[in-house]
Amino acid sequence: MADREAFPGIGRIKYEGPATKNMLAFRHYDADALVEGKPMRDHLRFAVSYWHTMRGTGSDPFGPGTMVRPWETESDPLQAALARVDVAFEFLEKLGCDFYCFHDRDVAPDGATLAESNKHFDTVADSLEKHQQRSGKKLLWGTANLFSNPRYVHGAATSPNVETFAYAAAQVKKAMEVTHRLGGAGYVFWGGREGYQCLWNTDMKREVDHLARFMHMAVDYAKEIGFTGQFYFEPKPREPMKHQYDFDSATCINFLRAYGLEKHVKMNIETNHATLAGHEMQHELEYAGMQGFLGSIDANTGDTLVGWDTDQFPTNIYLTTQIMYTLLKYGGIAPGGVNFDAKVRRESFEPVDLFHAHIGGMDAFARGLKIAAAMRADGAVQKLVEERYASWSGPLGKRIEAGSESLKSLEQEMLKKGEAEPCKSGRQELFENLINTYL
Ligand code: XUL
Ligand code: CO
């Protein structure tokens, strides 16, 4: 920790249990407490996202930033970046959060040339590495910002400008090297501006082919440098582009399979991106899970009255229960984690609000975890689901599932019977009431 604290008066956030009146304490997240035989910290693998927590200014299209960040005193961008690393680790340590995630340009500033940018990145990585070693904090995943600089106005890997593609490749190469050096458990591709605003001026096939070529280069380079972390593709249907090529889990998985990337890349699924795609987060997780592509999650929430990516901290227990139930069902999230890709509201501009936001999110997930584990231990929901499909466990169902029936043989079966057995009630309300008994 730096000599001068960035968060004076705030100590290490402790687990105090549900009855505490202290708002700077955990009510549910008890890092070493066992759930299904595993410490909560290993189930949840919480990460702070550097871009929101350390770089978010609170600016919006109607006005400039509002965040009060007393540590932002350095005018030199590299010195400012180095000072911020100290603050980031003070925050991680006081919060008791084990991981963080970054884009290259969140942690280190752009230089005048690519070489200078790389040098800045190395300098900051030296400090990140020292802080990691000292504190035991870890990098969950790294990524490259391939969307802010004007060179990426038409996208990065999908730009019609080949040298933009080449520059992006160089940036990813470096970001992978630094992620590798810092022991990162993963590397994320989020589309950024990979998509289109207008199909008339877009060669979609060529652009999507290029995106696949780009990912293959990354996969090849990982082998070359011995980076064995997990690659993730992060779905988002729109924003900034009207259509993003990484639309949702199903679209991403189709892309990975179509281009032979399915062995190398899994999904990093973000709640508010799921809802923008017209899905529930549970749907996106279930779809990726059933296909074997569940990787990591970006935890946040949207606002039902707002149609854009509000990146709010998640506090809804029903949502976190759905998420944790699905994650447990598919064997957990590691080597991925629960990364808070979330920002405090523009109106919540004091440093202490960063603590309230993360504590709330961590507690909401811890509670979701405990509820999901209780549901699984009890087994009543699972039993009802199995009962709903009971007919498939009979001889006919077994033969169909085993592939030994055909349209012809099934026609014979139904001609003999004349009509199918009547269906049973789906009992949605009973299911929903049952879920509420655990909350
Ligand atoms: C943007 C978004 C990104 C990715 C990483 O909506 O979610 O921050 O998580 O590039
Ligand atoms: Co995200």
Side-chain angles (χ1 to χ4, degrees):
M1 244 172 255
D3 300 345
R4 237 177 329 124
E5 290 182 54
F7 304 99
I10 301 177
R12 173 73 203 256
I13 306 299
K14 293 194 201 76
Y15 170 75
E16 294 184 7
T20 185
K21 296 274 181 260
N22 179 6
M23 294 312 288
L24 288 171
F26 293 117
R27 285 167 174 68
H28 297 280
Y29 182 58
D30 185 4
D32 297 313
L34 301 184
V35 175
E36 295 194 0
K38 197 159 93 174
M40 277 190 172
R41 67 164 81 242
D42 297 338
H43 275 289
L44 294 162
R45 296 168 63 82
F46 286 128
V48 166
S49 58
Y50 211 97
W51 53 101
H52 286 309
T53 297
M54 298 313 301
R55 306 307 312 273
T57 63
S59 67
D60 73 7
F62 301 95
T66 54
M67 294 299 147
V68 175
R69 300 291 181 251
W71 54 85
E72 294 283 341
T73 53
E74 300 283 350
S75 53
D76 174 68
L78 182 59
Q79 291 313 313
L82 289 168
R84 242 177 251 130
V85 173
D86 297 344
V87 179
F89 279 79
E90 180 186 331
F91 184 70
L92 286 168
E93 289 185 84
K94 287 186 166 174
L95 186 63
C97 181
D98 295 334
F99 295 91
Y100 69 108
C101 297
F102 64 63
H103 300 81
D104 49 1
R105 299 298 179 258
D106 306 332
V107 290
D110 250 322
T113 61
L114 178 61
E116 197 187 16
S117 300
N118 287 348
K119 202 161 154 258
H120 288 339
F121 199 8
D122 283 332
T123 305
V124 176
D126 290 342
S127 175
L128 291 169
E129 193 172 33
K130 273 194 209 115
H131 273 292
Q132 283 188 201
Q133 279 164 359
R134 178 189 56 71
S135 65
K137 303 295 170 194
K138 294 184 214 124
L139 179 62
L140 185 66
W141 50 259
T143 189
N145 179 331
L146 306 179
F147 42 88
S148 296
N149 190 289
R151 81 175 73 83
Y152 298 124
V153 61
H154 304 298
T158 66
S159 174
N161 179 20
V162 66
E163 292 206 356
T164 296
F165 182 105
Y167 195 102
Q171 225 183 298
V172 166
K173 173 178 177 287
K174 184 71 187 173
M176 284 174 58
E177 287 164 5
V178 173
T179 300
H180 183 40
R181 170 183 168 194
L182 295 175
Y187 188 90
V188 163
F189 292 101
W190 164 61
R193 293 180 195 274
E194 318 292 24
Y196 60 78
Q197 299 291 18
C198 166
L199 264 183
W200 288 117
N201 72 2
T202 302
D203 186 338
M204 178 149 66
K205 165 136 187 11
R206 210 165 178 186
E207 291 199 1
V208 176
D209 284 352
H210 292 168
L211 183 59
R213 187 88 293 285
F214 194 83
M215 280 200 196
H216 271 291
M217 288 181 190
V219 166
D220 291 345
Y221 192 59
K223 276 189 209 134
E224 211 174 308
I225 62 175
F227 174 65
T228 53
Q230 177 62 50
F231 280 109
Y232 305 109
F233 196 14
E234 181 175 326
K236 185 174 186 180
R238 59 181 172 276
E239 200 193 300
M241 309 308 274
K242 105 168 167 181
H243 177 92
Q244 302 267 136
Y245 293 136
D246 50 358
F247 197 92
D248 63 0
S249 285
T251 310
C252 288
I253 292 169
N254 176 64
F255 167 86
L256 296 173
R257 289 212 174 106
Y259 289 96
L261 286 155
E262 69 274 15
K263 285 200 185 64
H264 309 289
V265 186
K266 289 193 164 146
M267 293 295 114
N268 179 41
I269 299 178
E270 176 163 331
T271 321
N272 203 177
H273 296 178
T275 48
L276 288 179
H279 303 309
E280 288 182 332
M281 177 62 163
Q282 193 180 12
H283 164 96
E284 285 292 83
L285 293 172
E286 184 64 45
Y287 194 87
M290 76 186 196
Q291 302 273 352
F293 282 81
L294 202 53
S296 198
I297 73 169
D298 270 7
N300 61 20
T301 191
D303 186 308
T304 47
L305 302 181
V306 181
W308 66 85
D309 196 11
T310 58
D311 280 341
Q312 285 164 244
F313 276 85
T315 53
N316 184 334
I317 310 300
Y318 205 82
L319 170 69
T320 57
T321 299
Q322 289 175 317
I323 294 174
M324 293 317 300
Y325 190 76
T326 313
L327 293 186
L328 290 176
K329 174 174 165 187
Y330 288 105
I333 196 76
V338 175
N339 168 46
F340 290 108
D341 193 351
K343 60 188 177 202
V344 288
R345 298 303 84 192
R346 188 168 192 269
E347 300 79 6
S348 309
F349 46 75
E350 293 178 21
V352 69
D353 293 309
L354 293 171
F355 281 92
H356 290 306
H358 286 84
I359 290 169
M362 290 162 84
D363 258 351
F365 266 87
R367 202 159 157 205
L369 169 64
K370 287 193 281 187
I371 296 167
M375 286 168 63
R376 280 157 56 84
D378 182 60
V381 178
Q382 182 55 27
K383 188 160 165 274
L384 280 178
V385 174
E386 276 161 24
E387 275 169 25
R388 195 162 175 240
Y389 292 84
S391 70
W392 281 92
S393 304
L396 178 64
K398 279 192 177 139
R399 288 200 306 276
I400 297 175
E401 285 188 348
S404 58
E405 293 281 346
S406 67
L407 291 185
K408 269 210 281 192
S409 68
L410 291 177
E411 183 194 40
Q412 284 310 310
E413 182 92 17
M414 284 302 110
L415 282 171
K416 245 190 290 160
K417 282 209 75 173
E419 182 50 84
E421 282 289 321
C423 286
K424 295 197 175 117
S425 168
R427 303 243 189 277
Q428 179 176 331
E429 296 77 5
L430 180 147
F431 271 89
E432 289 168 343
N433 295 350
L434 177 60
I435 305 298
N436 278 355
T437 65
Y438 299 96
L439 295 179

